[in-house]
Amino acid sequence: MNQSPNPWHVSFSYARALQNTVLKTWQGRPENVDAAQRALLIRAKANSLAQLGKYSAEGESEEAKKGMFVKGYTY
């Protein structure tokens, strides 16, 4: 989105991308908190790079590579 020059700053909501892997990692279990926090840091870095137009999926986990599209989902 931000790989080419724009006359204004272009942004996007990355909230769902931040939450998805973290919630799947955590699963509401206290023993998964550390792993979920690590996943959050990884997602935050990836989202930061995406906002700058510098994101690459190289090195992403298989879970993170899965799409989040759900047919018929109502937002």
Side-chain angles (χ1 to χ4, degrees), residues 6-75:
N6 296 305
W8 53 81
H9 179 75
V10 179
S11 186
F12 185 78
S13 172
Y14 297 100
R16 189 167 178 214
L18 275 171
Q19 296 168 357
N20 191 53
T21 303
V22 175
L23 290 174
K24 285 183 177 181
T25 301
W26 176 47
Q27 299 176 0
R29 297 181 180 161
E31 64 270 20
N32 293 340
V33 169
D34 288 340
Q37 288 176 340
R38 286 191 301 275
L40 176 61
L41 290 174
I42 291 167
R43 296 284 15 109
K45 177 69 173 175
N47 290 351
S48 175
L49 291 171
Q51 192 274 330
L52 297 171
K54 298 179 180 181
Y55 172 76
S56 169
E58 186 175 322
E60 288 282 9
S61 69
E62 289 305 312
E63 184 62 39
K65 289 180 183 178
K66 291 180 182 177
M68 294 185 292
F69 175 76
V70 177
K71 185 177 181 177
Y73 184 85
T74 303
Y75 293 90

